[in-house]
Amino acid sequence: SDGGDFDVAVAMYERLRSSPLRVRTCCTRALSSATIIAQGASKGCRSVVQDSFYLIHECYTTCSGDYRLRKVERIVSELKRCNAMLVGIYVESGCSREKIEALLSLCEGEGELLIPQEVLSYGLADAIEPCAPLLDASRSSRSLWDMFRLLYRILCRYIFR
């Protein structure tokens, strides 16, 4: 998934977590809010596909029209509340608070793309599922991921700002 609305993702996460059934998630690509939904799986049932990636970043919004300071301050306050919720979800999933806060703050809050091994090491998934080899853990694919990350950071810093 390409992600989506934070409130909707949290509602889906909470619904999955409260299910009496054993819930399993398997992500081929989880961007933004989709990573929150993926955390809703039952303990030990979160997996990522071998050639997938996660995009983890701070919450953000756009603002247009009314410029009154009180309204802008309210938006900033709401974003801070959402970021605190986001950190709490990832911490509950198994990631340390320090690691997730550092990860979220990369690229001025634009976050980081994670390959499956990193998703696993952060505690955001429990297993890596095999699939058709698009990229593997070889040195050449690692270089490709590093180039992809660099391009993403450049886009975040100079294009999307």
Side-chain angles (χ1 to χ4, degrees):
S1 168
D2 290 339
D5 188 62
F6 176 78
D7 294 334
V8 172
V10 170
M12 292 173 74
Y13 162 82
E14 289 173 349
R15 180 69 176 149
L16 292 173
R17 296 292 288 177
S18 66
S19 173
L21 303 173
R22 187 165 172 84
V23 177
R24 182 177 183 275
T25 58
C26 182
C27 298
T28 56
R29 179 176 80 170
L31 306 178
S32 306
S33 293
T35 64
I36 298 168
I37 299 165
Q39 301 312 302
S42 303
K43 191 166 184 81
C45 294
R46 298 167 303 154
S47 62
V48 291
V49 173
Q50 172 182 328
D51 299 328
S52 64
F53 56 92
Y54 259 46
L55 172 61
I56 305 285
H57 62 82
E58 292 179 344
C59 297
Y60 65 88
T61 190
T62 58
C63 183
S64 63
D66 201 335
Y67 62 89
R68 289 183 214 151
L69 183 57
R70 246 186 359 206
K71 288 188 178 190
V72 174
E73 287 172 340
R74 189 171 61 227
I75 291 169
V76 169
S77 176
E78 181 68 15
L79 283 173
K80 287 180 180 179
R81 182 189 69 80
C82 290
N83 281 332
M85 287 177 64
L86 182 63
V87 168
I89 288 169
Y90 292 139
V91 168
E92 185 178 311
S93 296
C95 189
S96 78
R97 181 170 300 280
E98 296 77 25
K99 280 185 176 181
I100 202 64
E101 286 176 346
L103 181 62
L104 290 170
S105 69
L106 290 174
C107 294
E108 298 178 8
E110 297 292 336
E112 182 73 302
L113 286 166
L114 303 176
I115 60 174
Q117 294 79 5
E118 293 168 321
V119 174
L120 201 62
S121 72
Y122 275 102
L124 300 172
D126 303 305
I128 298 172
E129 301 282 334
C131 68
L134 296 174
L135 292 176
D136 59 24
S138 70
R139 177 176 228 107
S140 62
S141 68
R142 185 63 193 187
S143 298
L144 179 60
W145 274 110
D146 291 340
M147 288 173 33
F148 189 61
R149 282 186 175 154
L150 178 60
L151 176 60
Y152 175 75
R153 286 183 174 157
I154 291 168
L155 290 172
C156 289
R157 179 157 297 176
Y158 300 105
I159 307 299
F160 298 133
R161 288 273 164 187

